[in-house]
Amino acid sequence: MAKAQYLDLAARRLFKVESRRELPDIINFHDVRSSWKDFRQEMLQHLSSPYCGPDRVEIIEHPKDPISVRPLARFDIRDRLTYEALTAEVTITVDPLIPENVFSYRANRSQVHSVNDWLEWRNQARKILATEPTLMMARTDVASFYENIDIDVLKLDLAKGGINEPLLNQLYHFLQRFQQQSQAWGLPQGSSASGALSNVYLLPLDEYIRQSGVKHVRYSDDTYLFADSWEKLRSALTGANQALRARRLTISARKTEILDRAAALDHLDDYARDQISYFYYRGAPHAKKLLRELFGNAAKHLPIKERDVKFSLTRFRRKRDDTAIHWALENLKEMHHLSDQLLRYVESLPAYREDLTNALESVAIDFPLADYPYLERNLLHSALRKQIYSKILKDYAWSILRDKNRSNYPREFAARYIGRYSEMADGPLLRMQYESESSEPVQRATLIALYECRYLPPRILENLSTSTSDLRWSARYLLRNPIVPLPV
């Protein structure tokens, strides 16, 4: 019964929250959701095995900034639910061990990675600074945190935390298989489950800082420390780095600094943004001017102040304010790591639909994007969301789909776009692509594309629906003749 409880929790999170985050599904998992009763029964049988590691892992290079990336682990839905369910069961036991000054990835929440928790972390930092006028603040985080977590050390930690041996061995086997099946190591990135496990891994850091007599608050590996002198903070950081090295981790030198009180308050102070938000939504005449100034200053700064840019774009989008429209359209390639926010902002302004279409086509034509899979996916995702038909984009989608050296992820969105806007010749070509495709995720996307372009013989779906292939869930779904939803 316990496994069912945690599986259902993992499914709710996946279907309602996680699918809208960094790795959205081309049909929002509607094929699995429509057969959830049967799928759930198979999942429970799968979870009863001591060896339930992933069979396939795709690493998605997700951009953090214009240059660097972080490797997101993309599992199929069975393995994703397995990892989330096992970790949910672990978290219930170990979460009471995590101190209250840790704000990330806590148990018993529908959303274990929340902007509200992040804001509460920073609010608590401000409250600590307000308690004593002499306090200073240090900020730090861990270099390549998830990648450097040693799963053997984590296993020892979880055993000490009271995790029963069968569950511990299941999770450990999953993580071993993850490392064997991918070019990644440590914990899978892109899943909130990893955040919950990482809290356990950093417990010695929390305890060391507490014993040093320095206050601190933590969100994942991002940590603020407070003391009344520079020397105390330096000493605490030095000791913290030693505690981390014992766990095969190290402090990020680039993101570590000691701030005097004024600089700390400036770092934490959201007063200007809070004031803009308050007046902006009350319709105060000067609020728009303040927001435009904030955006203008952030966009002109070198490098751009991304937090202020994203803050501004969110408010502009909600109010359908076109202040940033030209900047957003002109910077899709240069700011490719922000392309999702930029495109969703432009999409909120119906008057600029033609400009959006031109921008999507221009980026597709003018730039070689094979090394920018995130941007490629977002171009097609945007065109699907706004139902933009373009011969240029469809030809581009075909070039992506046929390129088997490309990441599966943009190829899946390319198949979906072709199916959505197919013409007479596309059906036979999609059939040929389906029959020659070796990647099951791309096969699934091509199967859905064939269905949407009405070139899918029923016998293919009937045969698949009774097979052992994971495509059977998609086949059973399509046999119901659904209106396939667009990716959110």
Side-chain angles (χ1 to χ4, degrees):
M1 183 62 187
K3 291 293 187 190
Q5 172 190 347
Y6 297 116
L7 174 60
D8 291 341
L9 174 60
R12 285 195 300 273
R13 287 173 174 169
L14 177 62
F15 296 150
K16 295 182 180 179
V17 179
E18 298 291 319
S19 65
R20 295 172 175 81
R21 292 183 60 205
E22 294 163 323
L23 299 174
D25 183 64
I26 55 168
I27 61 170
N28 311 319
F29 302 115
H30 271 241
D31 45 358
V32 169
R33 294 169 76 171
S34 69
S35 296
W36 177 243
K37 183 178 179 181
D38 293 335
F39 190 89
R40 179 178 184 270
Q41 194 59 41
E42 288 198 12
M43 279 296 308
L44 289 173
Q45 185 176 353
H46 177 68
L47 285 167
S48 69
S49 167
Y51 306 109
C52 51
D55 293 326
R56 179 181 63 244
V57 183
E58 181 182 5
I59 299 300
I60 306 292
E61 301 291 356
H62 189 84
K64 296 194 294 185
D65 55 46
I67 298 174
S68 60
V69 299
R70 61 190 182 100
L72 299 187
R74 186 174 178 235
F75 301 114
D76 66 28
I77 190 167
R78 184 193 67 175
D79 292 330
R80 190 168 176 178
L81 285 170
T82 297
Y83 184 46
E84 299 281 345
L86 292 176
T87 304
E89 188 173 356
V90 166
T91 304
I92 291 297
T93 299
V94 299
D95 190 70
L97 306 176
I98 309 299
E100 291 183 358
N101 58 336
V102 175
F103 292 87
S104 54
Y105 305 105
R106 305 307 297 254
N108 294 318
R109 297 181 187 176
S110 61
Q111 197 171 348
V112 291
H113 177 58
S114 166
V115 171
N116 290 333
D117 293 333
W118 184 86
L119 291 173
E120 182 55 31
W121 166 61
R122 290 175 64 91
N123 287 336
Q124 188 60 35
R126 282 193 287 271
K127 289 177 182 177
I128 292 173
L129 278 175
T131 60
E132 298 179 37
T134 58
L135 287 181
M136 303 171 65
M137 185 180 86
R139 59 186 290 260
T140 190
D141 74 1
V142 178
S144 302
F145 177 38
Y146 282 14
E147 296 162 85
N148 288 316
I149 288 177
D150 187 315
I151 63 172
D152 290 296
V153 174
L154 177 64
K155 184 181 181 183
L156 290 173
D157 293 340
L158 293 173
K160 183 68 175 177
I163 302 304
N164 65 71
E165 188 172 352
L167 174 59
L168 184 57
N169 287 337
Q170 276 187 304
L171 179 61
Y172 181 68
H173 180 262
F174 186 99
L175 294 173
Q176 279 186 313
R177 288 281 295 171
F178 159 67
Q179 294 186 151
Q180 294 163 2
Q181 293 289 324
S182 68
Q183 295 177 330
W185 53 93
L187 294 181
Q189 297 193 55
S191 168
S192 295
S194 294
L197 296 176
S198 72
N199 274 342
V200 177
Y201 202 79
L202 288 181
L203 272 174
L205 172 68
D206 295 319
E207 180 60 14
Y208 176 86
I209 296 174
R210 187 195 69 79
Q211 291 176 6
S212 71
V214 172
K215 292 182 179 180
H216 80 289
V217 290
R218 177 166 66 79
Y219 189 94
S220 188
D221 60 316
D222 290 320
T223 308
Y224 295 142
L225 300 87
F226 306 89
D228 58 8
S229 75
W230 190 91
E231 287 295 340
K232 286 182 182 178
L233 288 172
R234 181 186 179 278
S235 176
L237 287 171
T238 300
N241 204 28
Q242 292 173 349
L244 287 170
R245 277 206 304 273
R247 318 230 93 203
R248 296 178 171 84
L249 303 173
T250 186
I251 277 177
S252 170
R254 184 172 63 90
K255 294 183 179 180
T256 300
E257 60 181 339
I258 296 175
L259 305 171
D260 62 27
R261 186 176 185 79
L265 289 170
D266 183 63
H267 173 79
L268 294 169
D269 197 0
D270 286 325
Y271 177 74
R273 284 181 286 271
D274 290 344
Q275 186 182 50
I276 289 171
S277 292
Y278 176 77
F279 288 117
Y280 199 69
Y281 291 118
R282 288 183 65 88
H286 66 290
K288 183 179 288 189
K289 179 176 180 292
L290 291 174
L291 184 62
R292 288 176 172 176
E293 288 176 355
L294 180 74
F295 170 77
N297 291 333
K300 287 186 292 186
H301 192 273
L302 293 176
I304 70 164
K305 296 181 178 179
E306 289 191 13
R307 190 171 170 219
D308 287 346
V309 165
K310 289 189 280 189
F311 173 89
S312 303
L313 289 176
T314 299
R315 273 83 196 155
F316 289 150
R317 176 169 56 83
R318 290 174 181 169
K319 287 291 187 178
R320 298 194 174 185
D321 183 328
D322 67 358
T323 295
I325 188 72
H326 298 298
W327 184 90
L329 291 169
E330 290 167 3
N331 282 277
L332 273 175
K333 172 62 167 56
E334 293 303 318
M335 297 289 110
H336 63 94
H337 62 298
L338 300 180
S339 54
D340 185 56
Q341 293 98 319
L342 297 177
L343 288 167
R344 288 180 188 272
Y345 162 61
V346 178
E347 291 169 22
S348 71
L349 300 160
Y352 291 91
R353 181 182 176 86
E354 184 176 348
D355 299 83
L356 173 61
T357 303
N358 292 338
L360 297 177
E361 293 177 343
S362 177
V363 173
I365 291 171
D366 295 343
F367 299 104
L369 296 181
D371 292 330
Y372 297 86
Y374 179 69
L375 177 57
E376 276 189 330
R377 187 209 81 192
N378 285 334
L379 294 179
L380 295 169
H381 198 172
S382 178
L384 283 165
R385 279 194 304 263
K386 299 311 292 181
Q387 302 184 54
I388 294 173
Y389 168 73
S390 160
K391 180 66 173 173
I392 291 172
L393 289 178
K394 194 170 74 168
D395 287 346
Y396 184 66
W398 268 116
S399 71
I400 294 173
L401 180 59
R402 288 184 174 127
D403 185 355
K404 296 183 180 180
N405 291 320
R406 266 182 165 88
S407 165
N408 283 342
Y409 210 25
R411 294 181 68 214
E412 292 169 51
F413 277 80
R416 186 74 208 276
Y417 186 81
I418 294 164
R420 190 75 178 181
Y421 297 108
S422 61
E423 296 171 290
M424 187 171 179
D426 290 310
L429 293 175
L430 280 168
R431 175 76 178 273
M432 182 174 69
Q433 186 70 34
Y434 173 77
E435 291 172 349
S436 66
E437 185 56 57
S438 58
S439 163
E440 195 167 86
V442 180
Q443 274 190 311
R444 171 180 176 254
T446 311
L447 190 72
I448 292 163
L450 281 165
Y451 169 81
E452 286 204 289
C453 75
R454 297 293 183 259
Y455 204 80
L456 183 58
R459 64 178 174 79
I460 291 181
L461 293 179
E462 290 163 2
N463 291 338
L464 275 175
S465 69
T466 57
S467 73
T468 58
S469 165
D470 284 345
L471 293 175
R472 68 189 183 278
W473 306 110
S474 301
R476 293 175 190 179
Y477 170 64
L478 296 176
L479 280 169
R480 298 186 178 106
N481 197 32
I483 296 174
V484 183
L486 293 169
V488 294

